[in-house]
Amino acid sequence: MTSGYYDYDAYVEELLAHLGERRNVLELGVGTGLVCEKLLAAGPGDLRLTGIDHTESMLAQARARLGGRVRLLRQDILNMDAPAGFDMAFSVGGVWLCVRDQDGIGLSSHLVEDEDNIRALENLAAVLQPGGSLLLAVQAAHRPCRRPLPGDLMYAQDLHDEGNGRFTKDYFVLREDTVVAHQRSRYRVFPMEQADRMLDRCGFRLTSDGGADGLFRHYLRR
């Protein structure tokens, strides 16, 4: 993730442009804390950041990177008990993100079932203040690819279309032809019209689609 896969500076610039007077901010899927680190460096001094993730190994790396500057919580968004009162939430590569290809844009989710997405969005709405913002990153649709990493390593990803909007994605770190690390994840991609209806049902109104080159799709908590 530090090899140029994401343009974190660009994401942070747009997040800060949207921040306004909002100061109590939640990252959905904080991972190793790379976005929060840049937000702290570039944002206002009174910014209060909370990051949630369900993976303890990710949170351990985030704690090492961020120390006590960000409140880090191990949370499963399907059973979330995080404190309420956030006025902004965002996901860069976390629970949800928007993917754009030549056919348009869709919502990609780590949750593959409709009922799980509805439950998770309702849980999020419960901790976000009315009038609070939800920003979901927009990325190019993921494709099979390979790219070099430091230390004579190679990153590779492969995707398999299961049908019905469901995908399996395999991530590899290779040294020559030897697999050093491997992870498999499943995703669900919703057509954007269906996704917006689902978000609206759970209390989120679309306010900006980000335009052709925007990095975030903006929603408002009603």
Side-chain angles (χ1 to χ4, degrees):
M1 295 298 102
T2 60
S3 69
Y5 192 85
Y6 292 132
D7 187 345
Y8 290 109
D9 291 326
Y11 281 121
V12 167
E13 183 178 354
E14 189 160 335
L15 285 170
L16 291 176
H18 189 78
L19 189 65
E21 299 301 316
R22 302 174 182 88
R23 292 295 183 269
N24 193 10
V25 177
L26 172 66
E27 181 174 9
L28 304 165
V30 66
T32 63
L34 289 164
V35 179
C36 281
E37 182 180 42
K38 288 189 175 290
L39 273 174
L40 286 171
D46 58 348
L47 187 63
R48 302 187 304 280
L49 293 176
T50 298
I52 63 170
D53 206 287
H54 69 95
T55 307
E56 182 56 39
S57 58
M58 290 282 199
L59 289 169
Q61 294 180 68
R63 292 186 194 104
R65 170 170 282 116
L66 301 169
R69 298 177 295 163
V70 175
R71 178 171 54 177
L72 296 169
L73 304 174
R74 186 174 184 182
Q75 294 279 311
D76 180 345
I77 199 165
L78 290 175
N79 300 287
M80 191 163 66
D81 59 0
F86 297 103
D87 49 24
M88 179 170 157
F90 70 91
S91 175
V92 170
V95 183
W96 299 283
L97 62 93
C98 300
V99 290
R100 181 187 287 125
D101 62 18
Q102 66 274 10
D103 297 322
I105 191 168
L107 179 71
S108 177
S109 174
H110 283 275
L111 307 170
V112 298
E113 303 300 336
D114 289 26
E115 58 268 25
D116 285 344
N117 281 279
I118 291 168
R119 180 177 175 183
L121 287 167
E122 289 175 343
N123 287 343
L124 176 58
V127 301
L128 196 62
Q129 292 182 15
S133 291
L134 171 62
L135 287 83
L136 302 180
V138 179
Q139 300 175 6
H142 293 189
R143 298 281 186 260
C145 75
R146 295 168 70 92
R147 65 184 305 146
L149 297 174
D152 296 322
L153 297 172
M154 179 70 68
Y155 170 77
Q157 63 184 36
D158 292 320
L159 284 89
H160 172 67
D161 187 346
E162 301 178 14
N164 296 318
R166 291 163 172 81
F167 295 83
T168 300
K169 185 174 179 182
D170 287 288
Y171 307 83
F172 300 94
V173 177
L174 308 171
R175 179 173 282 113
E176 295 182 349
D177 293 326
T178 301
V179 176
V180 177
H182 171 232
Q183 177 181 332
R184 173 169 291 171
S185 298
R186 294 186 74 218
Y187 296 87
R188 171 80 176 277
V189 178
F190 295 89
M192 208 66 238
E193 184 177 345
Q194 179 184 353
D196 284 343
R197 288 197 303 268
M198 181 170 63
L199 280 146
D200 187 74
R201 169 181 171 181
C202 297
F204 295 96
R205 176 175 59 85
L206 178 68
T207 59
S208 171
D209 63 9
D213 300 315
L215 293 177
F216 286 95
R217 196 170 175 91
H218 302 169
Y219 295 85
L220 191 71
R221 166 76 164 89
R222 291 197 302 273

